[in-house]
Amino acid sequence: MKTATSNSKPIFWRDAHLPHVELRKVGDGREVCYAPHSHTQWSIGAITGGESTFQYRDNQYRVQAGDLVLMNPEWVHACNPIDNKLWAYLMLYVDTTWLTDLRFRAGLLPELRWQDISTATISDPIWFERYCSLAQCLLEPGHELLEKQSKVVEFLSDLMHELSKQPVATAPKTPGILTDLAHYLDDHAADDVSLDTLCELSGFSPGHLIRAFKQHFGLTPHAYLLNRRVQLGRHELKNGTPIAEAALNSGFSDQPHFQRAFKRLMAATPNQYRRGSTEHKVQATRRQQ
């Protein structure tokens, strides 16, 4: 039990010289459960042990060791263990703007604008091995910066070319008023937003507003706002902001509320996430010296 608990603690890899990528590693995910959430980044994960469920918008997949899972930015998802069985994984988060530029420069996008990817899972040992090789290069000390940068670009470039052969992902068009509400929540994520205000902006009744918003975004307005606040807090912690200050800057009334929300959506404590950032800043400083 002691070993499982130790392995369940996530490892977050970040490097100031590669600000567009971030890697998470969990050795035993039996104690790791996620509430439905989304990220601003494009994400790709590798199941390195056991199996789990992968809820991706309205679809659910059963994935196992050797599978890759792919998540578009802002698409609601959740991965969770099955019947307390072993589950280990790696997750790479890629800055959407950077990846859009990479795809555009490779001639894979008609304009410099993000285009969702239709593929949700990949079960191919070659791509799985390449992913794990990239993760190993990033996680293990001793690899030079140029090697890490080259492996990131090479892997993602090749994968984007492969995925471009698939049909373009299409999603139901979201009514403009709901899009405007989402943008309002984005802009006021750290504010005390009321349901009355959202109803005034949309002209909807409270019940209709909540149903319509969840139908198109996969989250209620409150869950959407909470998700945004956690992402704001994540950005603050990544930059080394103290936890209590990050909580207030992200719109949480106090640190305990921030701790609970962060743990539910990130399956890690704010301290675990921030510590990963601090450790790699120290490593980057040592390399410069």
Side-chain angles (χ1 to χ4, degrees):
M1 181 62 69
K2 184 178 180 180
T3 302
T5 302
S6 175
N7 289 339
S8 68
K9 291 182 179 179
I11 296 172
F12 291 98
W13 174 90
R14 288 182 289 274
D15 191 316
H17 294 91
L18 289 93
H20 46 274
V21 291
E22 178 180 354
L23 184 68
R24 173 192 183 112
K25 178 181 180 181
V26 171
D28 186 346
R30 283 176 289 185
E31 297 180 9
V32 177
C33 290
Y34 292 89
H37 63 285
S38 65
H39 305 291
T40 56
Q41 307 100 324
W42 180 79
S43 312
I44 178 169
I47 311 301
T48 57
E51 57 184 345
S52 67
T53 59
F54 173 40
Q55 183 71 39
Y56 192 43
R57 283 197 165 176
D58 295 329
N59 299 311
Q60 182 165 296
Y61 306 86
R62 188 164 180 145
V63 290
Q64 59 187 357
D67 290 338
L68 299 178
V69 295
L70 292 73
M71 286 151 280
N72 287 312
E74 310 298 354
W75 283 35
V76 174
H77 61 275
C79 286
N80 288 299
I82 298 174
D83 299 329
N84 199 37
K85 294 180 181 177
L86 175 67
W87 172 43
Y89 67 93
L90 296 159
M91 184 63 67
L92 184 72
Y93 305 94
V94 186
D95 180 77
T96 304
T97 301
W98 181 87
L99 187 56
T100 300
D101 184 70
L102 184 75
R103 296 167 70 190
F104 178 72
R105 289 175 180 269
L108 302 177
L109 293 177
E111 57 182 333
L112 192 58
R113 182 179 180 182
W114 175 260
Q115 188 176 85
D116 286 331
I117 294 169
S118 60
T119 303
T121 63
I122 297 175
S123 297
D124 184 319
I126 294 178
W127 283 112
F128 181 80
E129 289 170 10
R130 287 192 61 181
Y131 180 103
C132 292
S133 175
L134 167 62
Q136 184 178 21
C137 177
L138 296 178
L139 287 168
E140 291 184 351
H143 292 276
E144 296 184 353
L145 175 62
L146 181 58
E147 181 184 6
K148 293 181 178 181
Q149 293 173 325
S150 300
K151 277 187 171 290
V152 167
V153 171
E154 184 179 19
F155 174 79
L156 290 174
S157 295
D158 290 350
L159 182 60
M160 291 302 110
H161 274 90
E162 181 67 24
L163 294 175
S164 69
K165 302 172 186 177
Q166 303 299 320
V168 176
T170 57
K173 186 172 178 60
T174 303
I177 187 62
L178 293 178
T179 300
D180 291 343
L181 285 179
H183 290 162
Y184 180 86
L185 291 173
D186 293 341
D187 295 338
H188 296 81
D191 300 334
D192 189 15
V193 179
S194 72
L195 184 58
D196 290 339
T197 298
L198 298 181
C199 289
E200 289 177 9
L201 292 172
S202 64
F204 293 163
S205 67
H208 179 58
L209 170 61
I210 293 172
R211 288 193 301 271
F213 196 95
K214 185 174 183 179
Q215 178 184 350
H216 287 277
F217 294 103
L219 299 169
T220 65
H222 177 253
Y224 183 95
L225 181 67
L226 197 63
N227 187 77
R228 273 289 180 268
R229 286 176 175 171
V230 168
Q231 295 306 314
L232 283 176
R234 178 180 178 181
H235 180 74
E236 293 270 344
L237 295 172
K238 184 177 180 179
N239 291 331
T241 304
I243 296 174
E245 185 179 342
L248 295 178
N249 291 347
S250 305
F252 290 94
S253 58
D254 53 41
Q255 186 171 331
H257 281 89
F258 179 48
Q259 297 257 93
R260 289 193 294 271
F262 198 93
K263 182 71 180 292
R264 282 184 65 247
L265 301 188
M266 292 292 296
T269 66
N271 187 50
Q272 288 171 334
Y273 185 80
R274 185 176 181 274
R275 187 170 62 240
S277 177
T278 304
E279 288 172 353
H280 288 286
K281 281 184 178 179
V282 171
Q283 292 179 9
T285 302
R286 287 174 178 170
R287 278 204 304 269
Q288 291 176 343
Q289 294 173 344

